[in-house]
Amino acid sequence: MKNDSVTSIVVGIIIKILLTVILVLALYFVGRHAYAFGYCVFAQETMSSPPGKKVAVTITEDMSIADIAKLLEMRELIQDDKVFRVQYMLSEYRGEIVPGSYVLNTSQTADEMLGVLSQQDVKETETE
């Protein structure tokens, strides 16, 4: 009888230790992934060094930001469409993308591409 209670206590402790180790490992890997994602969002790394490669893209009225991000990823202008969508949501260009044909460069940051896609460069030169 005493052996059964000692065995159940030991098994309970082992299970608690295993659950704690699994929880710590899960938190570590989730934290590592979250840090890498956040770094990509705020670091704004380019696909290539200047002068880069010019790529023509066409944005239509029916395209969502997810469609635009996938297009830019397929054209190798950005590394990750999910990162670009978050950059768009955090940028001053949110809701300002204008449909049209554009020439973007692989050496541009996401913020620079968003400025072109929202035609901010054109608006700034018109007001000067």
Side-chain angles (χ1 to χ4, degrees):
M1 184 99 163
K2 204 170 193 179
N3 284 342
D4 289 341
S5 65
V6 171
T7 304
S8 64
I9 291 172
V10 171
V11 169
I13 290 172
I14 291 173
I15 289 174
K16 287 179 184 178
I17 290 172
L18 286 175
L19 289 175
T20 303
V21 168
I22 290 170
L23 179 64
V24 168
L25 287 174
L27 287 173
Y28 170 76
F29 287 111
V30 167
R32 205 169 106 179
H33 180 71
Y35 174 81
F37 185 82
Y39 178 82
C40 290
V41 168
F42 294 106
Q44 297 227 5
E45 294 179 344
T46 61
M47 289 295 282
S48 63
S49 304
K53 182 176 98 176
K54 292 181 180 180
V55 179
V57 294
T58 300
I59 307 299
T60 59
E61 282 190 40
D62 63 331
M63 292 177 86
S64 67
I65 187 61
D67 297 331
I68 294 169
K70 286 182 194 229
L71 172 68
L72 297 179
E73 184 180 30
M74 283 185 348
R75 303 301 304 268
E76 297 180 352
L77 289 162
I78 60 172
Q79 292 179 11
D80 187 348
D81 65 313
K82 292 172 198 72
V83 170
F84 184 81
R85 288 189 306 195
V86 172
Q87 290 169 327
Y88 167 77
M89 297 300 281
L90 296 174
S91 76
E92 62 187 80
Y93 306 111
R94 185 176 180 183
E96 307 234 350
I97 292 180
V98 179
S101 295
Y102 302 95
V103 176
L104 301 173
N105 196 304
T106 57
S107 66
Q108 288 177 310
T109 64
D111 205 43
E112 292 169 336
M113 288 183 208
L114 288 167
V116 172
L117 296 176
S118 67
Q119 296 185 351
Q120 286 298 108
D121 297 334
V122 175
K123 292 176 188 173
E124 287 175 6
T125 55
E126 287 176 356
T127 57
E128 291 177 1

